[in-house]
Amino acid sequence: MVRKKGSLILCGAFLFVAWNALLLLYLWGRPPIGRLGEGGGAEPGGKEEWGVGIGKGGLAEEVIRLAEEVEIQLETQKRLLKQIESNRAVWAQQKDVGKRETEDTKEVKQEVVHQPQKLSLPLKDIVDDSDQTRVKPTQKPVHTEASDSKLEQHQAIEIKENIGENNKLATSISTPEVVIPILVIACDRVTVKRSLDRLIQYRPSPQLHPIIVSQDCGHAETARVIGSYGDQVTHITQPDLSDIRVRPEHRKFQGYYKISRHYHWALDQVFNTFSTVVIVEDDLEVAPDFFEYFRALYPILHADPTLWCVSAWNDNGRDALVDPSKAELLYRTDFFPGLGWMMLKEMWDELEPKWPSAFWDDWMRQPDQRKERSCIRPEVSRTITFGRKGVSLGQFFDQYLRYIKLNTEFVPFTKQDLSYLLKENYDEKLLKEVYSAQLVKIEELQQGGSLRGPGPFRVQYSSRDTFKVFARNLGVMDDLKSGVPRTGYRGVVNFLYRGRRVFLAPPEGWTQYDVSWS
């Protein structure tokens, strides 16, 4: 259209020049004026030639008439020039506006459709959006210098998306659009690739879930594997690789001391920037709804002071002990599970000044740290471990860990009402369910023939020894830390046995754990 209008301008200019040329030729070649006939024209061959026989005043009148004709022609040409100039300005303005609209539309389309997929900022530059109060599918950049046209298009797009998100979250607890980074604790396992591949595969947003790999040990090959991911992850390295002076009897535990030192350093780095973090180790593989799980539970952790962590791990999560058809089931537990867990900065501010020099996970399970607070854990684990070799020399791996079932069904936790996990809601329902369940002997469970109905059933223990015997015979883990059994809540261990729900529970009226049971 612009090219066509430009051609019209050239044609107009050409007509203007041609008109003037024709006018000059006309005036130059005009024949002498004879006597005026009835038609007002000169008759060729007449006796009255140009300039001859013109009466008094005839020449002056002719000059005036010619001048008037010239003036009329000049006025016509002037109007033509004004039209050309006016049209040229309008066409130029339309061309400029059209170009800006095309560029703005292209930029808006690129900004909305092509969101950045890789985290390219260093750790210190990643921004925590924890002050925001609504969830959106992905983090969107804010443009403060956009034109009015761009702002209107942005607003229209955001209004449409907000309506959809509000409808989607209508029945859920509001989840803040907080940045929840994943901290991967790494050392010398090149198989960290397996962990990182799954994290990147299932990550819904690089902006909301940056992956930070903190490496100890200085292992070059592992560093190359981590570096191969480019800006999909942020790679930081523990600066202190020196040996730690320990008591002679603890020399074989040197690895545990280094791990604790590494955790302290890495958590400090992350909490300098973020308000929460999910910690995994380099031998964990995550489930498809790993990120969904933690994002949905962040508001619960933030709202309930009786909680101090959310864990993706079920210590008794072996295939035969869980119900895979109930992957949405979540529980409170007094036992710190670890192995893929989230905590808040406020908790780190409490723990950091007294962080232990070794055995940090067992230290977390002590009463002085736990302070009767609990964690959330799933029915079916959202992590599994594939690292048989490590500082624990494969402890529990062959007997328990290798059989842990990883969830494969995506559960939309962010669309569910998870307020039942709040202590005031959870305890009353649990106690009613546990102590109204049929009390049976362990032999009845093992034989199964005399049991009526699908359960649940309750097996009661009253001492450390009876708990360990019953746990061992029912296939659940029998160790206790600071008197707390694995997955236990108010002393109750919840699992499946031969397809029936079982509560391994203390007598009704339980009050607190006995630390001497450890």
Side-chain angles (χ1 to χ4, degrees), residues 120-175:
S120 58
L121 296 176
L123 177 60
K124 65 180 181 179
D125 293 332
I126 302 173
V127 179
D128 185 351
D129 291 334
S130 58
D131 292 337
Q132 300 185 27
T133 58
R134 298 298 300 170
V135 151
K136 298 176 185 175
T138 53
Q139 188 179 22
K140 294 179 175 60
V142 178
H143 302 281
T144 57
E145 299 179 358
S147 65
D148 291 342
S149 174
K150 289 174 68 176
L151 287 173
E152 290 173 0
Q153 294 181 54
H154 276 300
Q155 290 169 356
I157 292 168
E158 289 180 354
I159 288 171
K160 183 177 180 181
E161 290 180 346
N162 286 339
I163 291 172
E165 284 304 305
N166 289 337
N167 289 337
K168 185 174 77 172
L169 297 176
T171 59
S172 70
I173 294 177
S174 176
T175 308

Side-chain angles (χ1 to χ4, degrees), residues 7 54 91 128 228 329 371 469:
S7 300
I54 297 178
W91 295 337
D128 185 351
S228 69
L329 288 179
K371 295 181 179 178
V469 169

Side-chain angles (χ1 to χ4, degrees), residues 123-267:
L123 177 60
K124 65 180 181 179
D125 293 332
I126 302 173
V127 179
D128 185 351
D129 291 334
S130 58
D131 292 337
Q132 300 185 27
T133 58
R134 298 298 300 170
V135 151
K136 298 176 185 175
T138 53
Q139 188 179 22
K140 294 179 175 60
V142 178
H143 302 281
T144 57
E145 299 179 358
S147 65
D148 291 342
S149 174
K150 289 174 68 176
L151 287 173
E152 290 173 0
Q153 294 181 54
H154 276 300
Q155 290 169 356
I157 292 168
E158 289 180 354
I159 288 171
K160 183 177 180 181
E161 290 180 346
N162 286 339
I163 291 172
E165 284 304 305
N166 289 337
N167 289 337
K168 185 174 77 172
L169 297 176
T171 59
S172 70
I173 294 177
S174 176
T175 308
E177 190 168 346
V178 61
V179 175
I180 304 178
I182 310 301
L183 174 62
V184 182
I185 301 293
C187 181
D188 58 357
R189 286 191 179 102
V190 295
T191 51
V192 66
K193 176 176 172 57
R194 177 175 170 182
S195 179
L196 292 177
D197 283 347
R198 290 293 178 267
L199 285 169
I200 292 171
Q201 177 184 353
Y202 298 135
R203 176 172 60 172
S205 166
Q207 289 75 35
L208 295 181
H209 298 286
I211 297 171
I212 303 153
V213 186
S214 180
Q215 187 187 0
D216 199 0
C217 308
H219 191 247
E221 184 60 28
T222 301
R224 280 193 290 271
V225 170
I226 299 168
S228 69
Y229 288 88
D231 58 4
Q232 293 182 94
V233 305
T234 298
H235 185 192
I236 59 176
T237 55
Q238 152 74 303
D240 187 0
L241 304 181
S242 63
D243 285 340
I244 300 173
R245 296 182 62 182
V246 299
R247 302 194 304 271
E249 62 271 22
H250 274 205
R251 286 176 184 170
K252 62 180 179 180
F253 301 132
Q254 177 76 212
Y256 289 101
Y257 282 84
K258 289 186 175 182
I259 288 174
S260 189
R261 178 178 66 184
H262 184 198
Y263 263 85
H264 184 279
W265 179 84
L267 288 170

